[in-house]
């Protein structure tokens, strides 16, 4: 897999680095925006010392039940993490903040 790519359902980004912390991410939204977001995500965090177990959820009712109000929305470990089709730099910054909070 190339570093920047549309992620697959069930994929673990940076999977070979077992020493990195693992975060569970679900991307809620329509297929087109979710695909764009997932590619930005793969580019934005490939260099960070973390792993992301990734899945898509396209079901609108499940999104609403999870508290999602914007398309697309990334939830990490059960919490809304990013909303909307944000830039890769913002994705990188948010994951860096998450890592810093664990130190």
């Amino acid at each position: 897999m190339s570093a920047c790519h549309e992620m697959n359902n069930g994929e673990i980004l940076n999977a070979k680095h077992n020493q990195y912390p693992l975060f569970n991410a679900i991307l809620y939204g329509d297929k087109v925006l979710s695909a764009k977001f997932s590619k930005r995500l793969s580019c934005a965090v490939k260099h960070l010392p973390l792993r992301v177990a990734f899945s898509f959820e396209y079901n609108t009712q499940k999104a609403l039940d999870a508290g999602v109000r914007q398309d697309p929305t990334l939830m990490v470990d059960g919490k809304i993490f990013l909303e909307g089709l944000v830039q890769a730099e913002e994705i990188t910054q948010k994951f860096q903040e998450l890592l810093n909070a664990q130190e």
Side-chain angles (χ1 to χ4, degrees), residues 17-51:
H17 296 285
N18 291 329
Q19 73 276 21
Y20 292 173
L22 176 65
F23 299 98
N24 293 297
I26 302 173
L27 185 55
Y28 290 87
D30 73 47
K31 291 184 180 186
V32 173
L33 291 177
S34 294
K36 289 179 182 179
F37 191 106
S38 77
K39 187 169 185 177
R40 289 181 187 179
L41 175 66
S42 73
C43 288
V45 303
K46 66 183 179 210
H47 65 284
L48 295 177
L50 56 80
R51 294 174 296 150

Side-chain angles (χ1 to χ4, degrees), residues 27-31 56-71:
L27 185 55
Y28 290 87
D30 73 47
K31 291 184 180 186
F56 291 100
E57 180 55 69
Y58 303 118
N59 183 292
T60 302
Q61 188 58 53
K62 287 183 180 179
L64 291 171
D65 291 346
V68 171
R69 300 291 178 253
Q70 192 169 353
D71 191 18

